[in-house]
């Protein structure tokens, strides 16, 4: 009987909040970070297009168990819409499919913004990761197919016009999960009768991680010059964010060492203390500052769903 394979890499765990550069894919970024940190596993929380820059949270090791909680968080983007052309990809990468000599006045732009605030209906771009009959829309689009993508509801919490020029306008949007900023640019242009596409896109926030947590890729790559392996990995590890920070929007339950042991064995524990949540569908539990588990509280018990080493 063959022995189980030992995982390659270190069992390092935490989040690296990457400031992704333009012309660097999200999957490529994850592979690079996994290699740099010599991590056993890695994953990201929310794809950024190659032409977009900014915050790409990358989970390493056990932190990958917390990816869904970051995926569901609010996001903030700064973006520029260039008027006069609608493109197949709704950004600079695509072919021009519609054009216009018309340019919108600043007040006309401001007048349409309330239509894009709150819960709105949005059709994702043809070049998107939406699955159509089991295939990614962008794969079908690259093959020359024009597919009908159903609209879906997304939430826009805040939409601000930062400035307007003759040929373009600059915006900031705070939005919920599943929002396509490229689709906003496309729809702005259609509504204004001048067409439009994204010419610059930067993500500055993915809840709960703040902008100052971002680490530029160049800073990480520069650490490759450290010849001593242990020193290099220590310098990289110092740039990580603790796994528990991804769960800061959830209720918190502190555990004793004995309770933590029981939880790690997969057993529920009785919840005591006046500050303990009475009922909660999702709670994160820690012991001595370390993440132990994510679970729920019901009938006076904390029941683990995901356990951390």
């Amino acid at each position: 009987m063959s022995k189980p394979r030992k995982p390659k890499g270190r069992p390092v765990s935490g989040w690296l909040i990457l400031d992704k550069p333009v012309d660097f894919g999200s999957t490529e970024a994850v592979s690079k970070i996994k290699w740099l940190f010599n991590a056993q596993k890695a994953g990201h929380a929310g794809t950024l297009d190659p032409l977009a820059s900014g915050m790409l949270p990358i989970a390493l090791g056990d932190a990958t168990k917390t990816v869904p909680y970051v995926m569901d968080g609010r996001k903030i983007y700064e973006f520029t819409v260039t008027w006069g052309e609608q493109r197949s990809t709704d950004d600079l990468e695509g072919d021009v499919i519609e054009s216009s000599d018309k340019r919108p006045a600043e007040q006309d732009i401001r007048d349409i913004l309330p239509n894009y605030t709150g819960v709105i209906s949005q059709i994702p771009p043809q070049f998107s990761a939406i699955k159509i009959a089991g295939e990614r829309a962008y794969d079908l689009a690259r093959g020359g197919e024009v597919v009908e993508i159903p609209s879906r509801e997304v939430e826009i919490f805040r939409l601000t016009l930062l400035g307007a020029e003759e040929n373009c306008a600059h915006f900031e949007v705070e939005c919920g999960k599943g929002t396509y900023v490229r689709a906003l640019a496309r729809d702005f242009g259609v509504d204004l009768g001048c067409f439009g596409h994204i010419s610059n896109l930067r993500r500055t926030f993915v809840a709960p991680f703040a902008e100052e947590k971002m680490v530029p890729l160049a800073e990480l790559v520069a650490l490759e010059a450290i010849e001593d392996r242990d020193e290099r990995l220590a310098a990289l590890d110092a740039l990580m964010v603790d796994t528990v920070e991804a769960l800061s929007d959830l209720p918190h339950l502190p555990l004793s060492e004995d309770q933590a042991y029981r939880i790690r064995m997969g057993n529920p524990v009785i919840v005591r203390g006046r500050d303990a949540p009475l009922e909660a569908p999702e709670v994160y539990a820690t012991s001595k500052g370390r993440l132990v588990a994510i679970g729920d509280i019901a009938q006076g018990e904390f029941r683990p769903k995901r356990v951390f080493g």
Side-chain angles (χ1 to χ4, degrees), residues 155-218:
E155 189 163 9
I156 309 295
F157 303 101
R158 177 173 57 84
L159 179 57
T160 307
L161 177 64
L162 300 177
E165 301 166 39
E166 181 182 356
N167 292 313
C168 64
H170 311 284
F171 302 87
E172 183 177 70
V173 63
E174 182 177 356
C175 55
K177 180 182 178 181
T179 303
Y180 278 92
V181 182
R182 285 182 290 137
L184 286 177
R186 175 200 66 206
D187 295 344
F188 289 174
V190 171
D191 273 5
L192 292 164
C194 63
F195 303 114
H197 62 275
I198 289 281
S199 53
N200 186 62
L201 177 62
R202 180 170 176 79
R203 187 159 67 192
T204 59
F205 176 75
V206 178
F209 302 121
E211 189 172 4
E212 56 266 23
K213 299 283 187 182
M214 282 198 285
V215 182
L217 180 63

Side-chain angles (χ1 to χ4, degrees), residues 204-277:
T204 59
F205 176 75
V206 178
F209 302 121
E211 189 172 4
E212 56 266 23
K213 299 283 187 182
M214 282 198 285
V215 182
L217 180 63
E219 183 177 335
L220 295 164
V221 171
L223 296 178
E224 291 183 59
I226 301 175
E227 293 184 8
D228 184 88
R229 180 180 183 274
D230 291 341
E231 185 183 343
R232 182 175 67 254
L233 291 174
L236 287 164
D237 290 350
L239 298 173
M240 291 201 315
V241 172
D242 195 286
T243 302
V244 76
E245 289 199 30
L247 306 171
S248 59
D249 289 338
L250 298 181
H252 173 222
L253 178 67
L255 300 174
S256 67
E257 285 188 67
D258 181 60
Q259 286 176 316
Y261 175 79
R262 288 181 55 79
I263 290 294
R264 289 193 175 106
M265 298 299 291
N267 299 311
V269 295
I270 296 172
V271 176
R272 293 188 176 91
R274 63 182 183 183
D275 296 328

Side-chain angles (χ1 to χ4, degrees), residues 1-69:
M1 189 173 175
S2 62
K3 292 182 180 180
R5 277 187 187 176
K6 187 178 179 181
K8 291 182 179 179
R10 299 187 299 149
V12 60
S13 182
W15 283 88
L16 189 283
I17 315 304
L18 180 67
D19 187 347
K20 187 190 83 65
V22 171
D23 291 330
F24 198 60
S26 295
T27 302
E28 185 182 0
V30 171
S31 296
K32 179 69 173 178
I33 298 306
K34 183 182 178 185
W35 178 81
L36 276 172
F37 282 78
N38 189 28
Q40 289 180 356
K41 55 184 176 179
H44 66 73
T47 301
L48 266 184
D49 296 333
L51 292 183
S53 68
M55 187 178 289
L56 180 67
I58 297 177
L60 301 175
D62 258 4
T64 54
K65 298 176 184 177
T66 64
V67 164
Y69 300 93

